[in-house]
Amino acid sequence: MKRLGPHLIAMLLAGCGGVQSSDGRDGVQSALIGSLFDIFFSTTAAVYLFVMAYLAIALWCGRAHRAGGGLQGKPAFHLEAGWRAGLAAFTSITALILFGLSLATWLTDRSLAKAAARPALEIELTGHQWWWDVHYDDPVASRMVHTANELHIPAGTTTRITLKSDDVIHSMWIPNLAGKQDLIPGRQADLVLHPLHTGVFRAQCAEFCGMQHAKMALTVRVDSPPDFRRWYEAQLQAPVPPAAGPALAGYAIFQTRQCASCHAVAGTPASATVAPDLSHLASRSTIAAGALAMTHANLVKWIADPQAPKPGNNMPKVPLSAPELAAVTAYLETLR
Ligand code: CUA
């Protein structure tokens, strides 16, 4: 128990901050829900303490009564008027508290609806077993951006995310920014975000969706508006195909082996959509929907055998010799 104590405290505190915190009030939506939580928690805690105090007084008085022979044989009519008044007062206070909590809920709901008006940015997010497909909408088709497993949004701006699912029910949860919203096949839901400041957050699929549900994360980067515009313009540029060296060999392997039948890379013949878009893969911070950090060693490990770090996922192990593996990795690392 002595050893468990510090771990328990650390675990409890870990829920109170960081990149994935249900108490991180980093967006208008999460701040509104957080304030409502505060109102409910403080009110119900006060009621609980009051009831417990009354119970303690009743037990104590009861003991005193029993010691003095109790109420037996003594007329208690003079107490009845007090009881009636007390009952009426407590009933009124209870009704008032419930009305107050309902009103606070209604007002929060109104504020959430108001905060969802006039989004400046529209994104479509599709859940797959087990990764996230991200589409930035634009009236001009050539200005639409397609990426995966990493979401960039501008701070101080309202973004509406349309949520879809390609297979089973998933749930999008960015606790620092907003509440949960399910992605249901054949249906469309939306999630509105309005981050208050820049930062990097972790979103997690919050609905059990199969073997790798836990490894279905999404990096959420809240950029300053100029940084967001820079990132967006960079995403619109197709990566430059390699001209020589192992990267060129890797490009050829990528286009002629299984890779291109599932993945897309802008500006190349690879345009399949069943697996994450890899156009700017090397600029992302994770591989395989948050399963691994984006490092050279992890990229090699992932391509060599995707079933080892994330068993059950749809990416097959493509037989590659050591030089071929090095070449494909070199090519993927040029996709910045
Ligand atoms: Cu997707 Cu859990």
Side-chain angles (χ1 to χ4, degrees):
M1 193 62 209
K2 235 179 194 175
R3 279 190 175 183
L4 203 65
H7 291 289
L8 211 62
I9 291 166
M11 254 167 66
L12 288 171
L13 289 177
C16 303
V19 295
Q20 188 183 333
S21 164
S22 49
D23 196 41
R25 301 178 188 187
D26 302 292
V28 167
Q29 287 74 14
S30 55
L32 282 167
I33 297 166
S35 305
L36 184 64
F37 173 81
D38 291 345
I39 293 171
F40 265 74
F41 183 76
S42 50
T43 310
T44 50
V47 169
Y48 179 78
L49 290 176
F50 182 77
V51 170
M52 286 300 122
Y54 240 75
L55 181 65
I57 292 169
L59 288 172
W60 189 78
C61 288
R63 196 186 285 172
H65 265 302
R66 274 196 300 279
L71 285 174
Q72 227 121 45
K74 291 178 191 165
F77 300 118
H78 66 285
L79 291 173
E80 199 173 309
W83 288 347
R84 276 175 192 275
L87 190 66
F90 287 137
T91 310
S92 312
I93 291 168
T94 305
L96 213 64
I97 289 173
L98 289 174
F99 176 75
L101 291 178
S102 305
L103 185 68
T105 309
W106 183 78
L107 288 173
T108 304
D109 188 56
R110 291 292 78 209
S111 305
L112 284 171
K114 215 169 143 190
R118 286 188 297 281
L121 184 66
E122 297 271 0
I123 299 173
E124 192 181 296
L125 191 71
T126 308
H128 296 262
Q129 281 175 316
W130 296 279
W131 59 281
W132 304 95
D133 199 20
V134 188
H135 264 280
Y136 289 77
D137 206 11
D138 194 280
V140 182
S142 63
R143 289 197 54 83
M144 289 181 183
V145 161
H146 190 194
T147 180
N149 299 328
E150 195 157 303
L151 183 72
H152 281 251
I153 48 174
T157 308
T158 305
T159 298
R160 180 167 59 205
I161 304 179
T162 303
L163 301 169
K164 293 177 177 178
S165 170
D166 199 39
D167 35 47
V168 299
I169 300 176
H170 302 275
S171 184
M172 171 40 65
W173 190 34
I174 320 170
N176 294 68
L177 298 180
K180 285 176 195 168
Q181 187 64 265
D182 283 359
L183 293 81
I184 299 167
R187 284 216 216 163
Q188 202 172 297
D190 56 27
L191 181 68
V192 179
L193 305 174
H194 189 112
L196 294 166
H197 52 83
T198 60
V200 182
F201 306 109
R202 186 180 187 274
Q204 170 65 42
C205 177
E207 177 78 36
F208 181 71
C209 55
M211 202 172 171
Q212 293 299 338
H213 153 70
K215 287 183 181 167
M216 188 169 170
L218 177 77
T219 307
V220 180
R221 292 185 179 274
V222 179
D223 301 325
S224 67
D227 280 350
F228 176 76
R229 275 192 293 277
R230 259 193 297 280
W231 172 83
Y232 199 90
E233 292 305 319
Q235 295 292 304
L236 287 170
Q237 306 299 318
V240 183
L248 179 61
Y251 172 82
I253 295 165
F254 186 92
Q255 297 295 338
T256 53
R257 299 284 185 88
Q258 287 98 315
C259 317
S261 46
C262 294
H263 294 282
V265 174
T268 77
S271 57
T273 55
V274 295
D277 183 292
L278 302 181
S279 304
H280 300 275
L281 172 77
S283 70
R284 299 175 201 155
S285 55
T286 69
I287 308 168
L292 298 166
M294 178 64 77
T295 63
H296 175 76
N298 281 342
L299 199 54
V300 171
K301 185 168 134 185
W302 175 252
I303 303 163
D305 185 7
Q307 296 301 316
K310 199 169 174 177
N313 86 81
N314 287 330
M315 180 158 158
K317 182 177 173 177
V318 178
L320 294 170
S321 66
E324 285 172 335
L325 178 61
V328 171
T329 310
Y331 169 57
L332 292 179
E333 284 173 335
T334 67
L335 303 176
R336 297 209 61 85

